[in-house]
Amino acid sequence: MKKAWIVQGGWDGHEPHLTSKRFAGLLEKNGFEVTIFDTLDCFADLDKMMELDLIVACWTGGTINGEYTRNVAKAVGAGVGLAGCHGGMCDSFRNDTEWQFITGGQWVSHPGGDGVEYMVNIRRGSSPIIEGLEDFKVCSEHYYLHVDPAIEVLATTRFPNISYYHVSNKPIDMPVIWTKYWGNGRVFYNSLGHHDDVFEKSPNAEILMERGMLWAAEGKQYAIDNGLTTERFENNAKMY
């Protein structure tokens, strides 16, 4: 049986307990054994993390012990998947640049706050994760992120939507859904999910989350089946 950890906490406004419960249900439906933690101290045990197939982050803001981040980097680098949504993964631990390096982006603004209606545009053919899905509207926070140019973009949204200082620039297509690799590990991010009910009001958002988590979790077995090690990634030079 595949194993997943979900870490929930940080700012309560993103309803981490509700999203964690939802994600746990999706994973259990797909045969996972899921453990939910209310503390980041689980990241202290690298050996236990190495036994996982997936880590799901539902932790907005806060701080993290640098050693914990390095353990996540090692576990994901070895093949453990990492997935998350909205501020629960890409507005976590704002002072930890290594976390941002792993996840592929960092929230910087949501012009207009909550209740902004916008379109999510599927980038067709970019990944099996979005296969069969069409563009859809969302009414929620419209996330503006600083992103890693290495990410694979699966869906975008157009800015500007709400007038603010950024409108002096050209219109841009901001990534909403993306994947990336970290060593042998797979990383999935979905910027939707300000409140848990987004996944009910916009069913595609939940479909994307389920498919993305499963995709990220497949990396562990792929690494095992293909005899992949972390040797080529390891470096003693200063990285952070």
Side-chain angles (χ1 to χ4, degrees):
M1 178 178 287
K2 290 186 176 181
K3 296 181 180 180
W5 282 1
I6 300 177
V7 290
Q8 62 180 19
W11 184 57
D12 285 339
H14 280 157
E15 302 179 339
H17 292 80
L18 291 178
T19 55
S20 293
K21 182 179 179 180
R22 178 180 298 275
F23 299 159
L26 293 173
L27 291 169
E28 288 168 351
K29 182 183 72 173
N30 285 279
F32 281 73
E33 176 187 319
V34 181
T35 305
I36 300 177
F37 291 94
D38 294 306
T39 173
L40 298 172
D41 291 339
C42 57
F43 290 156
D45 194 334
L46 179 58
D47 290 338
K48 284 290 186 183
M49 290 170 64
M50 288 291 191
E51 297 174 1
L52 301 174
D53 297 277
L54 179 67
I55 298 167
V56 180
C58 296
W59 199 291
T60 301
T63 59
I64 188 171
N65 182 308
E67 188 62 31
Y68 292 0
T69 311
R70 289 188 284 276
N71 282 347
V72 172
K74 291 175 183 176
V76 176
V80 178
L82 177 65
C85 77
H86 201 64
M89 191 167 93
C90 284
D91 189 19
S92 309
F93 325 128
R94 295 180 185 178
N95 293 327
D96 195 310
T97 54
E98 182 76 352
W99 180 265
Q100 296 166 26
F101 200 6
I102 299 167
T103 59
Q106 173 62 42
W107 169 85
V108 293
S109 185
H110 43 62
D114 196 11
V116 174
E117 185 173 85
Y118 61 95
M119 184 69 73
V120 175
N121 300 300
I122 299 295
R123 185 167 287 185
R124 292 169 182 79
S126 58
S127 167
I129 293 171
I130 52 85
E131 186 175 345
L133 299 181
E134 300 294 332
D135 300 348
F136 60 99
K137 286 184 179 179
V138 173
C139 186
S140 184
E141 288 183 339
H142 198 202
Y143 253 28
Y144 199 103
L145 301 118
H146 285 172
V147 299
D148 183 343
I151 64 174
E152 293 291 334
V153 180
L154 279 56
T156 63
T157 187
R158 176 55 63 100
F159 276 89
N161 191 343
I162 301 297
S163 183
Y164 192 55
Y165 295 103
H166 66 306
V167 304
S168 298
N169 302 294
K170 64 183 179 182
I172 57 96
D173 292 316
M174 175 63 60
V176 175
I177 314 288
W178 70 68
T179 60
K180 68 170 289 187
Y181 291 91
W182 182 263
N184 296 323
R186 301 178 179 188
V187 179
F188 171 81
Y189 176 68
N190 178 354
S191 76
L192 307 175
H194 175 58
H195 290 139
D196 178 69
D197 64 4
V198 169
F199 298 105
E200 296 175 3
K201 294 176 180 178
S202 300
N204 279 355
E206 182 173 87
I207 292 170
L208 285 162
M209 200 67 213
E210 179 177 3
R211 291 181 180 180
M213 290 190 296
L214 297 179
W215 174 86
E218 289 169 358
K220 175 71 172 293
Q221 192 60 49
Y222 182 89
I224 294 171
D225 291 345
N226 291 275
L228 302 180
T229 71
T230 60
E231 184 177 0
R232 69 190 181 98
F233 308 118
E234 293 166 7
N235 195 321
N236 291 323
K238 185 174 181 180
M239 296 295 171
Y240 36 79

